[in-house]
Amino acid sequence: MSDLIQVEHLTKDYGKGRGVFDVSFGVSAGEAFGFLGPNGAGKTTTMRHLMGFVRPDSGRVRIAGMDCFADARRVQEKVGYLPGELSLAGNMTGDGFLRFVASMKHVRDSARCRALCDRFEVDRKNRIRKMSKGQKQKIGLVCTFLGDPEVYLLDEPTSGLDPLMQGRFLELLEEEKARGKTILLSSHMFEEVERVCTRTAMLRAGRIAAIEQVQALRGAQNRVFTLRFETEKAALLFADGLTGAARNGCVVTACVQGSVDSFLKRAACYPVADLQVRSQTLEERFLHYYGGEEQ
Amino acid sequence: MSLTLFRREVRAHWVLALVFAAVMTLYGSMIVSMFDPKLGESLAMMAESMPQIFAAFNMTDPGATLTEFLANYLYGFLFVVLPMVAILILAAGLVAGHVDKGSMAYLLASPHTRAGIVWTQAAVLFSFTLLLCAWAFGLCTAAAQLMFPGELDLEHFALLNVGLLGLHVFFGGLAFLCSCLFNETRLAAGIAAGLCVLFVLIQMLSQVGDTFDWLRLCTPLTLFDTDGLLAGDSGAIGRLLILYGWGSSMYCLGAVAFSRRDLPL
């Protein structure tokens, strides 16, 4: 089956190790595909190629069989794009800008735009220059979705949004996916990709480290516990023989994979003064998932 | 081409046009009102007392007729430099400005070719240029008819204005080319403005005396030959066509370069 989005051996070298190198992946029609990686991994560079802003040094980038640079006009008829760094016309009002974008995209029906604005509680009256980062991001989101395109290219779409709006946005994405839209979602947060996407590529230093089913990654979820004990002796005893634990005075930091039951029961044997838990960062997850391979 | 984008740019820049048109109106009507065949004599005396300064601003010969007077005092310097500044400001914003700010991403994230977008911007710049030159012509004609009915040689004065438009098409082409080539507004505006100012300075210097006369071969402003155009000289018209040719070539070159290059969006 031929993919709707095809990236074949894409290489763009910006020097000093920046850029993307031999990136290949495909996204089939109706699929939601994640694009995970820390900042500077090459997510945005790949998106720029898909938008036809830059030409590959080598390799091919196509959407619906059309070259993204040479056929940019026809590709854009199918694509809704949200840039990673928003830059909207500052001296226009929210409403003015949305109408301008709709007109540029030849979108005549404003019903969808209005529905989106209501959904995200978009401030349409103020000048964009005076808006907060979150408000601007919401305007950007509406611009992306108002044309009801087939393909969405979303570059870190939830940055700047508050948790409530993040939730609403992910709901919208799930709806669009159910309507058969193709989604490429770039993010540095696994949680976002996990909720919407079925497969995800992981980028690192401009290369694809792996393409995995999201389900498989979920199993490898780790937590980092930081425990402070009442006495140094307790900390010493607790940390002794515990794999993946590091002690500093009364404080023990440990990475726990899978079930936390036995870990918590072990900790309960000692006098605990404080406990903090966080999910692994993507960077840590990478290191864990690929072991020493990435050194 | 996108009519939506054209309208949006016009709306964003009409104040700039208005401000420059107003300044041109001020100077234009002032200079026309200063015309006085007798005043010409006293100006000639002043010019004799400080010939270099008058020569630098292309004002050696005050001219016996109103048409010559305007050609010397407005079309030698003021109407060259004022629209030039406006064109430089506008051109830098139209392409490099959008790339620099990142708003070009929004323009390209629409079903238009890059050529379509960039030619729309070129059309905005040209319309603006045409407008300012038409304003210069209309203003002087109206002021002359009002204050000195029948004095203006309309036919040759019109040709002079076609020449002025040619010069500004050249400046516009240069500024547009720079705007298409560079990613930063500052760089695009700086290089275009630097070249234009240099051309003007070279011309001023070349007029001061015979020592620097050869410098006139180093500036495209020489191709706008006010005396020749007023005389209806075919050589002057030929040089004017070269100016138009250079200007439009640079517009095309800019559009092609922009359509092909990588953009940092």
Side-chain angles (χ1 to χ4, degrees):
Chain A
M1 190 181 90
S2 86
D3 291 323
L4 193 65
I5 302 176
Q6 295 168 293
V7 177
E8 293 164 8
H9 305 292
L10 170 66
T11 297
K12 184 83 185 177
D13 192 349
Y14 285 118
K16 293 177 192 161
R18 287 166 58 249
V20 288
F21 306 93
D22 198 27
V23 166
S24 296
F25 65 89
V27 184
S28 52
E31 186 183 12
F33 190 81
F35 222 42
L36 276 170
N39 295 330
K43 306 187 294 285
T44 300
T45 305
T46 310
M47 290 275 189
R48 283 176 182 157
H49 281 90
L50 285 164
M51 284 300 289
F53 296 158
V54 283
R55 254 198 276 216
D57 285 346
S58 64
R60 283 209 294 191
V61 181
R62 285 182 295 181
I63 290 179
M66 296 177 286
D67 184 271
C68 289
F69 192 95
D71 258 335
R73 189 185 67 82
R74 288 198 307 162
V75 168
Q76 289 307 324
E77 284 170 2
K78 297 179 182 293
V79 169
Y81 169 63
L82 183 74
E85 266 177 50
L86 273 179
S87 160
L88 315 172
N91 51 0
M92 291 176 101
T93 61
D95 198 42
F97 185 73
L98 286 172
R99 264 189 281 160
F100 169 65
V101 169
S103 175
M104 284 294 286
K105 289 179 188 267
H106 310 310
V107 176
R108 290 207 178 75
D109 182 15
S110 62
R112 186 172 159 88
C113 180
R114 260 180 282 128
L116 285 163
C117 284
D118 291 345
R119 184 169 196 154
F120 289 113
E121 296 168 19
V122 170
D123 172 6
R124 299 172 68 160
K125 291 207 184 78
N126 265 319
R127 298 212 172 264
I128 290 176
R129 197 186 303 129
K130 300 201 170 151
M131 289 182 184
S132 67
K133 168 104 175 64
Q135 281 294 347
K136 285 183 197 164
Q137 186 73 13
K138 290 194 280 185
I139 298 253
L141 283 174
V142 174
C143 290
T144 309
F145 286 86
L146 61 74
D148 202 12
E150 280 174 51
V151 182
Y152 291 110
L153 303 177
L154 308 167
D155 197 356
E156 307 206 352
T158 54
S159 70
L161 294 184
D162 61 42
L164 178 70
M165 287 302 154
Q166 281 186 15
R168 281 192 201 172
F169 168 71
L170 292 173
E171 266 169 35
L172 173 66
L173 266 193
E174 281 168 334
E175 284 170 28
E176 292 296 309
K177 189 183 157 192
R179 289 175 64 210
K181 302 300 179 69
T182 309
I183 300 167
L184 181 62
L185 173 66
S186 120
S187 176
H188 55 263
M189 278 153 47
F190 179 69
E191 290 69 23
E192 229 170 74
V193 167
E194 182 188 24
R195 191 162 150 192
V196 183
C197 302
T198 41
R199 281 194 309 150
T200 181
M202 290 193 260
L203 273 89
R204 195 182 173 81
R207 290 170 199 281
I208 293 214
I211 297 177
E212 294 287 343
Q213 298 290 326
V214 167
Q215 196 68 40
L217 285 168
R218 206 173 281 152
Q221 178 141 351
N222 286 8
R223 285 185 185 79
V224 178
F225 283 83
T226 306
L227 291 133
R228 193 157 54 80
F229 292 94
E230 303 263 326
T231 63
E232 201 166 328
K233 192 183 166 208
L236 200 67
L237 285 168
F238 175 75
D240 186 39
L242 189 67
T243 49
R247 187 186 65 86
N248 183 8
C250 297
V251 179
V252 177
T253 307
C255 180
V256 182
Q257 187 179 359
S259 166
V260 295
D261 184 63
S262 64
F263 177 84
L264 285 179
K265 281 185 174 140
R266 179 181 171 130
C269 300
Y270 304 96
V272 178
D274 191 21
L275 165 74
Q276 283 178 339
V277 195
R278 64 177 173 86
S279 292
Q280 265 188 322
T281 63
L282 194 66
E283 199 75 8
E284 289 168 321
R285 208 187 299 256
F286 264 122
L287 282 173
H288 172 80
Y289 202 69
Y290 297 102
E293 178 191 335
E294 297 291 331
Q295 296 300 313
Chain B
M1 297 257 281
S2 163
L3 198 62
T4 306
L5 179 59
F6 188 90
R7 274 199 225 112
R8 144 113 190 78
E9 294 293 3
V10 168
R11 209 176 293 173
H13 297 288
W14 66 271
V15 177
L16 181 74
L18 201 71
V19 167
F20 276 88
V23 177
M24 285 166 68
T25 308
L26 184 76
Y27 278 109
S29 46
M30 210 163 69
I31 298 274
V32 173
S33 71
M34 274 166 65
F35 174 69
D36 175 0
K38 276 176 233 152
L39 183 85
E41 289 162 28
S42 57
L43 271 173
M45 268 161 66
M46 249 166 84
E48 259 170 56
S49 65
M50 37 184 169
Q52 270 95 356
I53 309 257
F54 269 66
F57 287 91
N58 207 1
M59 295 170 181
T60 347
D61 175 20
T65 69
L66 175 62
T67 320
E68 283 167 14
F69 179 82
L70 291 184
N72 283 329
Y73 284 87
L74 282 175
Y75 290 75
F77 185 75
L78 283 171
F79 281 2
V80 170
V81 171
L82 286 174
M84 183 187 89
V85 174
I87 286 168
L88 285 168
I89 295 172
L90 180 67
L94 282 174
V95 186
H98 282 300
V99 173
D100 200 358
K101 277 186 290 177
S103 46
M104 184 57 79
Y106 272 94
L107 306 184
L108 295 180
S110 66
H112 295 93
T113 57
R114 274 203 208 177
I117 298 289
V118 79
W119 277 115
T120 304
Q121 304 302 74
V124 173
L125 185 61
F126 178 72
S127 313
F128 199 88
T129 311
L130 191 65
L131 201 78
L132 285 180
C133 290
W135 182 248
F137 177 60
L139 172 80
C140 291
T141 313
Q145 291 303 336
L146 220 65
M147 292 184 250
F148 307 100
E151 283 275 351
L152 196 68
D153 174 3
L154 210 57
E155 194 183 320
H156 287 113
F157 186 65
L159 186 61
L160 181 70
N161 280 276
V162 173
L164 185 72
L165 179 64
L167 184 64
H168 288 305
V169 166
F170 177 85
F171 286 140
L174 181 65
F176 189 71
L177 176 62
C178 289
S179 192
C180 288
L181 286 178
F182 299 105
N183 295 329
E184 281 174 50
T185 322
R186 266 194 308 173
L187 206 60
I191 291 179
L195 283 171
C196 289
V197 170
L198 187 72
F199 290 153
V200 172
L201 287 177
I202 289 177
Q203 196 208 23
M204 288 170 81
L205 201 62
S206 75
Q207 286 162 348
V208 170
D210 291 338
T211 337
F212 297 111
D213 189 47
W214 57 273
L215 274 175
R216 70 192 168 80
L217 298 173
C218 307
T219 169
L221 269 80
T222 309
L223 296 171
F224 174 48
D225 177 1
T226 51
D227 296 339
L229 288 173
L230 283 191
D233 174 30
S234 62
I237 295 170
R239 285 193 284 281
L240 179 58
L241 289 178
I242 298 175
L243 213 46
Y244 272 101
W246 271 106
S248 31
S249 312
M250 284 190 291
Y251 267 105
C252 295
L253 210 64
V256 170
F258 181 78
S259 303
R260 289 188 183 173
R261 77 188 185 94
D262 285 353
L263 297 172
L265 298 172

